[in-house]
Amino acid sequence: MSVSAILIAALVMSVLGLIFGALLGVTGRVFKVPTNEKVEALRACLPGANCGACGFPGCDGYAAAVGEGKAEVGACAVGGPACAAKMAEIMGVTVNESVRMVASVACQGYGDHCKPKGIYEGMTDCVAASMVNSGTKACSYACLGLGTCERACPFDAIHIDPIKQIAVVDEEKCQACKKCVAACPQHVLTMRPAGRKVEVDCHNPEKGIALKEKCDRACIGCEACVKACNFGAIEMENGVPKIDYEKCVGCMACADACPTGAMQADFESRKEAYIDPNKCVGCTLCTKQCKFDAIEGALKQPHKVLGACTGCGLCAEKCPKKAITMRDRRAPRNKLDKVKKAPAAPAAPKAPVAAKTPVNQ
Amino acid sequence: MNQILTILIGSIFVNNFAMSRFYGICPFLGVSKKLETAFGMGMAVTFVMAVASLVAYLVNAFLLIPLELEYLQTIAFILVIAVLVQIVEMVIKKMSPGLYQALGVYLPLITTNCAVLGVAQLNVTEGYNLILSVVNGVASALGYTLSICLFAGIRERLALNNMPKWMEGFTGAMITAGLMAVAFNGFSGLI
């Protein structure tokens, strides 16, 4: 091979390279997609999990939507308030405080509560199992515990409990991306605000005591919880109670009333009110506040909390002297230990009204 | 016409890129966990291979052969294909964001994939003309799409099954790929 051949080869390749380089440069200019600087800054704030919980196709999609003003900051559940604050700074807006949500498992069909129909030997996947004979358990709404949600979770936040064999959510890790909610063929998973101690752990819409044969923790639709709630926070929806967490104060009276245990509350964390006798001036504001008749005491006398206290904390909020603190319970709640109202008391103010009526006529 | 049919059947089934030539094995194993993404990858490969066959033929016929520089084929093809795919990516991004969303992720993955380079080289060694080159490019890519989609389908089912611990993940995938290659071997002798 002569020197000229080598030179020609080198020349051809260099020229080709140059032409292509120039071509790329020109196309880059001509076909430049105008990227919003804000969008790139916004994208940098986002965690990049591409989970889609915000309702947009991935973090890029959400950043673009916020940049164009089509979406609000703070929809990113994974990034949380820190991320929302950063994004708000870029966009020059203020954040609406959003409540952190977590997934929760609305089923307690484990162990002896809800027995299996038979021995299932198919694929270890809830979708497959749910297609056979409407699920493997006696209740056809039950958590099948084959881990479809566990595999769907990008944050390692939901696991099948090795003993209970049903799904359990790790509230700390849950980022509210709702992938498990979408993946569950039994629709067992729901979203609720994080840190709440009361939840409905059954979603079987059927009614009646016969349900208890399928699962002894089933909601039989008796509405005892609706009646027990003094805050109007529970309504029946599709045959099961639904808690309005904006109204719920966490008093757990509904769980006290539930005959089957479908309404679950973390009684361990239940508090009770304690009135400091040195600070209490006996103004009786708290006795009027208490929806459970759990505070007794006469005017100008130190008040006392009775066993019926649910630990809702209303009195502590209202006490003008800050004499009431919420402390760990010394004893479980006793519904019956409450103020005994004298039946004659309401009669006294009625008397003058009754006397007036004939005069007006 | 006869020749086109021969190339179609030959490239899709008999000399399947993934299953008998063993080209493009990296994305074959990497992007085959879900049927959806595998199909997206297949479509991107089809697009790139059609364009690559066309451009490689033009470069070879009008630049390398007249200048007697056939020995530069490999490097010239790499250069041309890489540049072309980059340009196409930019154009798609500007012109059709929807298509970019569907294909864009895979395009950089396959710019200089051996399957793409392989089809350009094959066209030259087989001496195909312009039309046959493009037909061969598309057919080979369709064969690749077929095998990667079949593979992804099998892997999706396997992932749901109780496998022995040592067979989970890539081990099982490799064995599956081997068995599929054996099965595709059954097409040999068809043409």
Side-chain angles (χ1 to χ4, degrees):
Chain A
M1 189 185 282
S2 63
V3 177
S4 64
I6 298 176
L7 283 180
I8 289 174
L11 196 72
V12 167
M13 290 315 292
S14 317
V15 171
L16 263 184
L18 268 177
I19 293 173
F20 285 146
L23 202 64
L24 268 183
V26 171
T27 351
R29 281 278 170 87
V30 174
F31 289 99
K32 195 171 182 220
V33 179
T35 46
N36 195 332
E37 269 176 42
K38 268 185 187 172
V39 171
E40 270 170 34
L42 288 168
R43 175 63 188 84
C45 301
L46 292 167
N50 287 322
C51 64
C54 50
F56 294 92
C59 297
D60 288 334
Y62 179 50
V66 173
E68 288 169 22
K70 285 182 190 164
E72 300 247 338
V73 297
C76 179
V78 184
C83 162
K86 270 195 229 163
M87 291 178 77
E89 200 178 303
I90 295 167
M91 295 300 293
V93 295
T94 48
V95 201
N96 299 337
E97 277 297 318
S98 62
V99 187
R100 193 171 87 88
M101 303 290 276
V102 291
S104 93
V105 181
C107 178
Q108 303 175 72
Y110 53 85
D112 284 341
H113 297 310
C114 185
K115 296 211 172 65
K117 275 181 192 147
I119 300 161
Y120 174 72
E121 283 186 341
M123 285 189 214
T124 37
D125 182 69
C126 306
V127 180
S130 70
M131 288 173 186
V132 187
N133 199 11
S134 55
T136 58
K137 291 191 175 163
C139 167
S140 49
Y141 297 86
C143 170
L144 302 175
L146 296 173
T148 298
C149 50
E150 191 173 344
R151 286 185 288 275
C153 181
F155 303 103
D156 192 36
I158 187 162
H159 292 285
I160 302 302
D161 189 291
I163 298 162
K164 290 180 177 175
Q165 289 295 317
I166 62 168
V168 175
V169 178
D170 184 339
E171 250 185 59
E172 299 267 296
K173 286 185 185 167
C174 180
Q175 307 288 357
C177 73
K178 297 185 193 168
K179 287 218 164 139
C180 54
V181 178
C184 180
Q186 301 288 87
H187 307 291
V188 160
L189 290 149
T190 53
M191 303 301 294
R192 66 161 169 82
R196 291 310 188 109
K197 309 287 186 202
V198 189
E199 63 182 23
V200 188
D201 278 348
C202 178
H203 72 122
N204 188 329
E206 294 163 32
K207 274 192 173 189
I209 199 73
L211 250 183
K212 284 195 86 170
E213 279 168 27
K214 291 182 185 168
C215 175
D216 62 9
R217 288 274 175 99
C219 171
I220 55 174
C222 67
E223 305 193 14
C225 48
V226 180
K227 287 172 203 128
C229 185
N230 282 332
F231 301 89
I234 305 179
E235 273 179 17
M236 296 303 282
E237 192 181 289
N238 295 331
V240 288
K242 186 169 190 284
I243 303 175
D244 180 348
Y245 283 103
E246 281 190 8
K247 291 182 186 164
C248 174
V249 296
C251 70
M252 305 182 192
C254 47
D256 278 332
C258 182
T260 61
M263 182 70 83
Q264 275 291 307
D266 182 10
F267 289 119
E268 297 275 302
S269 69
R270 198 175 211 180
K271 304 276 182 192
E272 67 177 349
Y274 169 70
I275 302 175
D276 187 342
N278 298 325
K279 286 188 189 166
C280 179
V281 294
C283 68
T284 72
L285 256 181
C286 52
T287 52
K288 284 170 197 145
Q289 276 302 322
C290 186
K291 302 205 175 198
F292 301 93
D293 301 327
I295 303 179
E296 79 174 350
L299 194 65
K300 309 239 167 142
Q301 294 290 316
H303 289 18
K304 204 183 138 214
V305 178
L306 301 176
C309 174
T310 56
C312 69
L314 266 188
C315 50
E317 243 172 62
K318 297 284 172 176
C319 180
K321 295 285 166 192
K322 302 265 177 300
I324 307 180
T325 48
M326 304 306 295
R327 66 173 185 191
D328 291 337
R329 285 197 91 86
R330 303 273 158 95
R333 182 185 178 217
N334 176 11
K335 259 195 251 186
L336 303 174
D337 182 13
K338 61 180 183 183
V339 183
K340 278 136 198 109
K341 277 185 184 164
K350 257 186 190 172
V353 179
K356 264 182 191 174
T357 26
V359 178
N360 288 346
Q361 277 173 347
Chain B
M1 197 60 220
N2 218 356
Q3 205 178 357
I4 290 181
L5 195 68
T6 316
I7 291 177
L8 275 175
I9 294 189
S11 298
I12 294 179
F13 296 111
V14 185
N15 293 319
N16 187 289
F17 255 48
M19 301 278 72
S20 86
R21 289 196 203 271
F22 306 116
Y23 287 162
I25 292 300
C26 171
F28 183 74
L29 289 171
V31 203
S32 57
K33 272 195 177 160
K34 275 188 184 166
L35 191 56
E36 199 181 324
T37 49
F39 186 73
M41 182 73 196
M43 286 298 103
V45 168
T46 311
F47 176 72
V48 172
M49 271 167 71
V51 177
S53 306
L54 178 76
V55 182
Y57 178 83
L58 294 178
V59 167
N60 192 42
F62 298 108
L63 190 74
L64 299 181
I65 292 175
L67 289 171
E68 295 177 355
L69 290 173
E70 287 95 334
Y71 61 89
L72 285 181
Q73 268 166 1
T74 311
I75 191 163
F77 288 170
I78 292 177
L79 192 64
V80 173
I81 294 169
V83 168
L84 189 91
V85 174
Q86 283 296 310
I87 291 178
V88 167
E89 195 191 336
M90 283 189 233
V91 174
I92 292 181
K93 196 173 180 179
K94 173 86 177 178
M95 295 303 193
S96 162
L99 188 66
Y100 180 75
Q101 288 259 314
L103 290 187
V105 200
Y106 310 104
L107 281 177
L109 270 179
I110 38 174
T111 36
T112 48
N113 188 288
C114 60
V116 179
L117 192 62
V119 81
Q121 284 281 11
L122 266 176
N123 289 340
V124 174
T125 43
E126 297 282 333
Y128 291 146
N129 64 21
L130 182 63
I131 295 169
L132 292 183
S133 290
V134 176
V135 168
N136 187 35
V138 172
S140 304
L142 287 180
Y144 186 79
T145 310
L146 174 75
S147 53
I148 197 174
C149 284
L150 288 175
F151 187 52
I154 295 174
R155 279 186 77 177
E156 271 188 357
R157 304 256 340 212
L158 281 184
L160 294 177
N161 271 292
N162 282 324
M163 299 269 276
K165 195 83 192 157
W166 55 272
M167 275 278 278
E168 274 173 16
F170 270 119
T171 324
M174 291 285 199
I175 292 169
T176 313
L179 291 176
M180 276 180 71
V182 173
F184 264 84
N185 216 15
F187 286 118
S188 62
L190 202 66
I191 46 166

